[in-house]
Amino acid sequence: MCSFAQIGTSYISEKEKLVCISADQLLLDHANGGHQQEWKQTLDKAEVTILLSRQTAAARPANTSFSSAESAQLVPTTEDILRICPRFRILLIGKTGVGKSSLINKAFGVDDALVSDSAPGQAEIEKEIASIVNPRFVLHDSRGFEPGETSNFDAVCNFIRSRNGKPALKDRLHAIWICMAIPASGSRILETGVEKLFRLKTNGDLGDVPMISVFTKFDELVDREVMNLEMADNDLNDEEIFNLGRQNANQAFEGECVEPFRTSSNVRIPYKAVSTQQGYETTLADLIQITFENVQLHVSPEAAVSTAIAQKPNSTVKIEGCITVGKLRYWRSLASSVSFPGKTLKACLDVIHTDIIEVWRLADPNLNLKSKEFKALMSNLVDKSVQGNVPTSPNKGLAAGVPILAAVAAIVGALSGPAAPIVIPIVGAFVLAKWAYDVYRASRSNLEHLMAYIIDLTLVMQNIFWLVNATNGTYPTTRRLIKLAFRAYSESATKGRVHVLIEEHVRQFKPFIPGGPDATLEAIENIIHQCTINLDEMIRRRQEIPAFGTGEEEEPWDTQ
C-alpha cells in the first residue's frame, strides 16, 4: 500500500478549489515510475505535487504516537552542523602576563582551559587545549614574539598555513586572537613579530582565517584616567568621575593605540579593547560579536554556528546563531516546506526546538530545556496567543526590550527566594497543545503557529540566558528559573507585540515563489531583531535581579 502526503508548492488561500485526484492513477504512475518519489500534475491551473513512499498499512499501528516514526526522519540541523564542525577552533597568541587565561575562561565560560601565561617557551602550539565544562571549543596557544628570535614566529606561520590546508573544516583554524596589553603612554604599540604577522595576513599569505587584535587590561587605562580626574580640582561625584574617566580612556585608547596600530600594521585588522574585570562585560561581548561576524564572513556558516554555541557572554550572537541555523533548513519556505509534509507539527517542532536549545547551550543537567513539559509550555503559549489574546496594536505599551527586562525584574522580585513554587497562569500548560498533533499542511494557521513557536522560544531563551548570567553562571537551568523566564516573557508587552507582528505578516502573506525572496524567513528575522533585549541594557541591569534561590531539589512543573 502507498501512503500519500501533499507537499504542494502552492499556498492554500481563502479561495480554495476542490481538485479530484484518482488514487488508481497515482498507484499506476508510482508502479510504472519504479523508485519515483514525487507525482506532479497541473490540475485546473494549480500545480499539485505529492510525495510517494512505499509503506505497509501495518507500518504505523492505530493510536501510535507520531513522534517515534516521523520525528526520526527529521534530523536537527545542528546535528549535521556539529558533525561538520563540532568545535570552535581558535589560536591565541600573546606574551606572558597579558591575561590570556582569564580572557579565554571568561569568553567560553570555563575555568580549566589554562594557557601558557607562566613563562616563555612553554606554549606548544600543536597541543589542543580543551575543557570538560565546555566541549564546544578547542584552543591552540602560542607565546608572544620575543625581539630577535625567529623560531616561534616561523612555528606560528607554519602552523597557520598547515591548519588552513586541512581538508576538513573541523580541523582548520576558525579565528586567531593576537593579545596585547594596552601599553603605557608613549610605549611601542606593536612588536616587530606582530607587525610581520599582520603584513603576511595583508598579503594573503595566511589565508582567510580571521585575525583579530585584542588589547587587554582596558580597566587599567580607565583607572589611570580616573586617577587623573581625582587629582584634578572638580565637583564631580564618584559615579560621574568613573563615567568621565571611562570616556577619557576610550579617547586615549583611540589616540595612543588605535592610530599607531593602523599606521604600523597598514591594514584594517579588526581590534577591540577588553577587560575581564567586573563592570567591563560589554567589552568581552563586543569581542565575541566581532569574532562571530568575521567567522561567518570569512570561514563558513557552520563554523559561525560553532562559535555562537561555544561563546558565553553575548546573547546577540546566540540569537544570530539560531537564525543562521534556521536559514540553513527548517525556517526556510516555512509555509510550504518540503521538509515537513506528512509529519505532525509536533515532529516539526521537535527539530526546531532542538536546534534553538543547542545554540544557547546552557547548563541543563536535568534536561529541563529538552523536556516534554517545557515544549508543552511553549506550545500552549503559542496557542493562547494565536487565539487572539494579544494587544490590538504592535506599538501598545513600552518599546521592545525594556518591557522584557522590567517584567523579568518584577517577576523575580515578587517571587524571589525559595518559598512557594512558581505557578504558570495557563490552564493545562504542561500538556502539549492540541494543534501540535495536527499533520503539517500549507495553511495560514500552521504558518502562524510555527512562526510564533520559533520567535517565542528564541526570546524565552534570551530571558533564561539573562537570568543565568545574572548569577554569574552559578545556577543551572532549573525548572524554577525556566518558569521565571517564561512567565516574565508571557506577561511582557513584547510578547504581545511579537504576536501582532506575526499576525500582520500571515494576513498579508503571499505564496513563496521558488528563487524569489522568502518573505516569512525575512519576517521571522526582522521580528526577532525588533524584539530582542539590547545587550548593553541587559548587562547594565543585571544588578537589578535579586536572589531567586533555586533550591537543592527541583520544584514540580505543574503547581496548579
Side-chain angles (χ1 to χ4, degrees):
M1 179 177 180
C2 284
S3 64
F4 308 107
Q6 181 177 338
I7 63 170
T9 58
S10 301
Y11 191 87
I12 298 176
S13 67
E14 279 76 5
K15 297 180 179 180
E16 298 182 353
K17 289 185 178 181
L18 179 63
V19 176
C20 295
I21 302 173
S22 166
D24 290 339
Q25 186 63 46
L26 281 176
L27 291 170
L28 180 61
D29 289 349
H30 186 46
N32 293 336
H35 296 289
Q36 179 183 345
Q37 297 299 309
E38 292 184 353
W39 181 90
K40 291 185 179 181
Q41 289 286 342
T42 300
L43 302 172
D44 198 10
K45 298 182 179 180
E47 181 180 291
V48 178
T49 304
I50 296 178
L51 180 67
L52 305 172
S53 64
R54 294 190 180 277
Q55 177 177 300
T56 63
R60 186 170 66 202
N63 301 322
T64 299
S65 171
F66 285 92
S67 60
S68 60
E70 293 179 348
S71 182
Q73 300 175 30
L74 294 176
V75 178
T77 309
T78 48
E79 185 176 318
D80 289 337
I81 288 173
L82 293 174
R83 189 180 300 112
I84 296 169
C85 188
R87 299 185 294 181
F88 170 60
R89 187 178 296 273
I90 184 170
L91 169 61
L92 202 64
I93 302 173
K95 286 186 174 182
T96 302
V98 300
K100 291 187 292 182
S101 289
S102 59
L103 177 65
I104 287 295
N105 294 342
K106 289 285 186 179
F108 300 103
V110 299
D111 55 13
D112 58 346
L114 300 178
V115 301
S116 62
D117 268 337
S118 52
Q122 291 188 347
E124 300 176 9
I125 195 169
E126 292 285 353
K127 180 182 177 182
E128 294 186 346
I129 303 174
S131 168
I132 298 175
V133 177
N134 184 354
R136 290 302 177 200
F137 92 104
V138 59
L139 169 71
H140 295 272
D141 179 36
S142 172
R143 58 187 172 86
F145 307 123
E146 298 296 330
E149 71 90 31
T150 61
S151 59
N152 187 53
F153 179 83
D154 293 339
V156 168
C157 293
N158 291 335
F159 176 75
I160 295 172
R161 293 186 182 107
S162 172
R163 284 286 168 177
N164 287 344
K166 297 288 185 181
L169 178 62
K170 66 183 181 65
D171 297 322
R172 299 178 211 148
L173 288 174
H174 306 136
I176 302 170
W177 285 355
I178 312 292
C179 298
M180 301 168 281
I182 294 177
S185 182
S187 300
R188 180 181 174 87
I189 183 67
L190 293 180
E191 298 294 340
T192 302
V194 174
E195 286 189 28
K196 288 172 60 179
L197 198 67
F198 286 162
R199 283 198 295 271
L200 288 174
K201 176 63 179 170
T202 304
N203 295 334
D205 294 334
L206 298 179
D208 294 329
V209 56
M211 185 178 291
I212 300 164
S213 296
V214 184
F215 294 90
T216 61
K217 303 187 178 181
F218 178 64
D219 58 291
E220 294 182 5
L221 182 56
V222 175
D223 290 343
R224 186 191 78 185
E225 296 300 323
V226 167
M227 185 178 299
N228 290 339
L229 290 171
E230 289 174 341
M231 296 175 63
D233 186 14
N234 60 64
D235 297 325
L236 302 176
N237 60 38
D238 289 345
E239 183 179 356
E240 292 170 334
I241 287 176
F242 178 80
N243 290 336
L244 182 57
R246 186 155 181 170
Q247 181 179 332
N248 291 346
N250 283 322
Q251 294 175 353
F253 173 69
E254 288 292 325
E256 298 175 13
C257 297
V258 175
E259 287 306 320
F261 166 71
R262 287 173 176 166
T263 302
S264 299
S265 64
N266 195 30
V267 66
R268 299 298 182 183
I269 295 284
Y271 64 88
K272 182 61 189 178
V274 304
S275 171
T276 57
Q277 299 300 308
Q278 186 174 358
Y280 295 88
E281 290 85 357
T282 56
T283 64
L284 195 55
D286 289 345
L287 173 61
I288 295 297
Q289 186 76 43
I290 293 169
T291 303
F292 172 80
E293 290 172 355
N294 278 273
V295 171
Q296 193 166 44
L297 182 63
H298 298 292
V299 185
S300 74
E302 292 83 3
V305 171
S306 289
T307 307
I309 294 173
Q311 65 85 28
K312 297 301 180 182
N314 194 313
S315 61
T316 301
V317 168
K318 293 288 188 185
I319 289 171
E320 292 303 319
C322 291
I323 292 172
T324 300
V325 172
K327 285 182 174 180
L328 289 174
R329 188 177 301 164
Y330 292 122
W331 297 12
R332 294 165 55 187
S333 308
L334 199 61
S336 55
S337 174
V338 296
S339 299
F340 293 153
K343 310 297 189 297
T344 62
L345 290 174
K346 179 184 181 301
C348 307
L349 296 178
D350 280 345
V351 290
I352 289 171
H353 187 99
T354 298
D355 281 341
I356 293 173
I357 297 304
E358 181 60 41
V359 174
W360 288 91
R361 197 170 181 80
L362 300 173
D364 188 21
N366 294 327
L367 302 181
N368 289 318
L369 293 173
K370 297 180 180 180
S371 68
K372 65 180 187 299
E373 290 86 0
F374 182 49
K375 292 176 183 178
L377 195 62
M378 295 305 308
S379 72
N380 280 286
L381 173 65
V382 169
D383 190 49
K384 180 181 178 182
S385 300
V386 169
Q387 287 176 9
N389 297 317
V390 295
T392 57
S393 170
N395 297 317
K396 184 176 180 179
L398 299 174
V402 174
I404 298 181
L405 291 175
V408 172
I411 292 292
V412 174
L415 300 174
S416 60
I422 296 166
V423 176
I424 301 298
I426 300 177
V427 177
F430 300 101
V431 177
L432 200 66
K434 181 179 179 297
W435 64 268
Y437 292 97
D438 294 340
V439 175
Y440 174 90
R441 71 185 185 94
S443 71
R444 280 189 165 82
S445 175
N446 283 348
L447 175 61
E448 187 172 0
H449 280 88
L450 290 172
M451 287 182 68
Y453 195 96
I454 289 169
I455 299 171
D456 284 341
L457 178 59
T458 300
L459 297 181
V460 168
M461 288 303 301
Q462 178 185 233
N463 281 4
I464 296 173
F465 177 89
W466 189 46
L467 288 176
V468 169
N469 275 17
T471 64
N472 294 317
T474 56
Y475 285 164
T477 48
T478 61
R479 295 172 187 171
R480 183 175 185 81
L481 187 148
I482 291 170
K483 290 195 286 183
L484 280 171
F486 173 87
R487 186 166 168 181
Y489 174 73
S490 66
E491 297 180 9
S492 71
T494 301
K495 189 266 291 184
R497 183 167 186 251
V498 163
H499 285 270
V500 169
L501 292 171
I502 292 172
E503 184 183 359
E504 287 184 348
H505 169 76
V506 172
R507 187 171 62 250
Q508 301 169 8
F509 178 79
K510 295 180 180 179
F512 172 71
I513 301 174
D518 190 336
T520 295
L521 183 58
E522 292 177 2
I524 292 173
E525 187 172 3
N526 289 337
I527 294 171
I528 289 175
H529 285 157
Q530 288 180 52
C531 298
T532 52
I533 305 173
N534 177 272
L535 182 60
D536 290 346
E537 184 80 0
M538 180 187 289
I539 292 172
R540 184 179 67 81
R541 298 186 65 164
R542 281 173 55 179
Q543 61 189 15
E544 298 178 17
I545 300 296
F548 53 95
T550 60
E552 294 183 1
E553 296 184 3
E554 287 274 28
E555 69 179 46
W557 280 108
D558 193 351
T559 57
Q560 295 184 359

